[in-house]
Every structure is written in structure tokens, then in C-alpha cells.
Amino acid sequence: MIPRIAITPGEPAGIGPDITLAIARQPWPAELVAICDPDLLRERAAMLDLAVEVEEIVSPQGQPETHTPGKLKVYPVALNATCTPGELNPANASYVLYTLHAAVDACLAGRCQAMVTAPVQKSVINDAGIPFSGHTELLAEDTDSERVVMMLATRNLRVALATTHLPLKEVPAAITTDLLESTLEILHRDLQQKFGLAQPRIAVLGLNPHAGEAGHMGREELDTIIPTLERLRARGMSLQGPLPADTAFNPKVLDNCDAVFAMYHDQGLPVLKYAGFGEAVNVTLGLPIIRTSVDHGTALDLAGTGKADPSSLRTALDMAISMAHTTGSPSVIPA
């Protein structure tokens, strides 16, 4: 099976178009379809002196073809306003969201086997008067997914989160039995189905320093986390913990687990990004589709300069292709 992958270049004034063009210049065992304004890519390619031929298509359909280096198929979505690299324009906020909705629709309809997203600028979308908290929440709504899980991964480390973009003071109240059970079940299932791990081993971090120190540094471990893990172990899940977060990221633990489950954003992600920044991938678990993304922002200061590093997008695409093969996603619906 040759999968078809939808790519959304994200914020047009950022480096998304640049890195999309960069990866289009190399061979891929998949068909790549960028969902964006084709003239944006042509203008950015000329600015960067990149020889990439942009081929407009009616829609992603038919039998996928292996990507031809230096040529990129584009499902056209027109910008609302002209775009200058590095200069945000709220007028293009709805354009950015439309490209995401179109990619989700293509995946749900079976015309694409995965979507890979370049970074968006949340602030400019909100400045346009459109409530937007991130890709993850939009994808959950578009696919009617009750709960999703954010996981970042390098080639050697995976870190999933119980809570995501939540103020630190609100995290303890959010760590409930229901949250832990549902997110760990999603993580366990998707490690099986999308990563091909028959019996995933998950290391679970505690919420408090020293994992609560037997209740002396907080009771969340005793009252919520430990009882939940015991119930899930009884269902056959392989779970370590709760482990103190300051000592969990060491070879003794990591060599014996397939993923680390952190309680909040800045508990797990600083370690992962230190270990593999620029080559990490953001994966949304719990969706009926495959979605991977870069681990960085729009880098407005680098847009149009030729200095943007496409490594994370390259890794995200590579992982999406691998996941498409693992899940055995059905061939696209013929035209």
C-alpha cells in the first residue's frame, strides 16, 4: 500500500510553507498532497530559490502514486489576503482553519491515510475573533472524539500527557480517576494499533515531588493515581509507577518502557525536547485518523530566509507513513 498523506503548511507567514517545499524535494514512499494556496508555495519557492513544481489537483482521490522529488501536488485553498513572510495577518486566520478542516475531511473519507501539520499561530487566529486553543482540540471536535491524548515522540522516547495546555494551578483538580483511566486506555490502545506494540509498557509519573512521598508531599498519588493504576493493571495493562518525575528519565526506566505518561505539559516535555528538539513529533492519539505534527512553532523570523530546518516535519511525515502501514489503513476511495 502506498499511503496518501495530507500536509497542511499552517500559518502562511511562518516557516510552514518553507519546510513543506523542502521535504517535497526528496523521495517518499507515499503520495504527498499539500492543502493550501498554490500561489503561496510558488512565491515562497521563488523567494527561496527552490526548484519545486506545484501541481494543482481537484481533490485527493484515486489510487495514490509515489511522490516525485521536486514536484508537489496541491489541493488549492485560496488565501484571504496577500502574505508577507514574518508578518501575521488576522485576515488569513479562517484560511488556516479551512485547510485543517479539509485535511480532516480527506482522512475521514478515506482519500488520505494520514495528515501532517506544520505550525499555526494561535494568537493571530484568536486576534481574528475565532476561539482557538490548538490543533488537538480542533481535531477532536472535527472527528467527534470525546477525548484525545497528546504524545510527543523521538526515535527513542515517547511522552504522553494526562493534561495539556492547562495552567499549573488547575492541574491537581484535573487529575481525576476518569481522566487517568480514559487517557491511559487511549495511550495503551493506540500504542498497539498505530505503533504495533502488542503489550505496551507505560511508565507513569507521579504528580507531586517524589511521587507524593507517601502522602507527605501531596495525596493525589495515594487517593487517585495508585488506585487507578491498580485497576488498570488488573485489566492487563503493563504500568510502572507512579514514579518520581526527577528520576524517571534514566536508562533503567526508559529501557523497560515504551512510553512515559506525564501528569502535565512541563513535567514531561522539557526532557523530551532537550533530548530531541527539532526531530520530535507531536502525535494526537484517540482520533479515528492519523495525525502527526512538528514539535516547534511558526518561527516568523526565519520565514522566507532559507534558514528553517525541516527535520521535525521530515520526521513527522516519516512517522505518519509508518503508522499508516501499521494500522493497515484502507486504500483511498477511487475517483
Side-chain angles (χ1 to χ4, degrees), residues 48-69:
L48 297 171
D49 195 25
L50 292 177
V52 177
E53 178 186 350
V54 173
E55 177 191 356
E56 297 183 39
I57 62 174
V58 176
S59 71
Q61 61 185 3
Q63 196 63 32
E65 302 173 348
T66 302
H67 175 70
T68 301

Side-chain angles (χ1 to χ4, degrees), residues 70-145:
K71 189 173 183 178
L72 181 60
K73 294 182 179 180
V74 177
Y75 173 63
V77 178
L79 284 166
N80 297 326
T82 57
C83 175
T84 300
E87 297 182 12
L88 296 172
N89 188 341
N92 284 322
S94 61
Y95 154 84
V96 172
L97 297 182
Y98 186 88
T99 64
L100 295 173
H101 295 314
V104 172
D105 289 345
C107 290
L108 288 175
R111 296 192 299 271
C112 292
Q113 278 64 62
M115 63 182 288
V116 177
T117 60
V120 298
Q121 187 83 14
K122 297 176 188 176
S123 61
V124 75
I125 297 174
N126 284 285
D127 288 344
I130 305 172
F132 179 76
S133 55
H135 277 110
T136 304
E137 293 78 8
L138 179 144
L139 297 173
E141 183 175 350
D142 275 7
T143 59
D144 293 323
S145 300

Side-chain angles (χ1 to χ4, degrees), residues 306-332:
K307 297 179 180 179
D309 185 353
S311 297
S312 183
L313 185 61
R314 187 182 297 120
T315 308
L317 178 54
D318 188 55
M319 185 173 292
I321 294 170
S322 175
M323 292 169 69
H325 283 292
T326 299
T327 58
S329 297
S331 297
V332 296

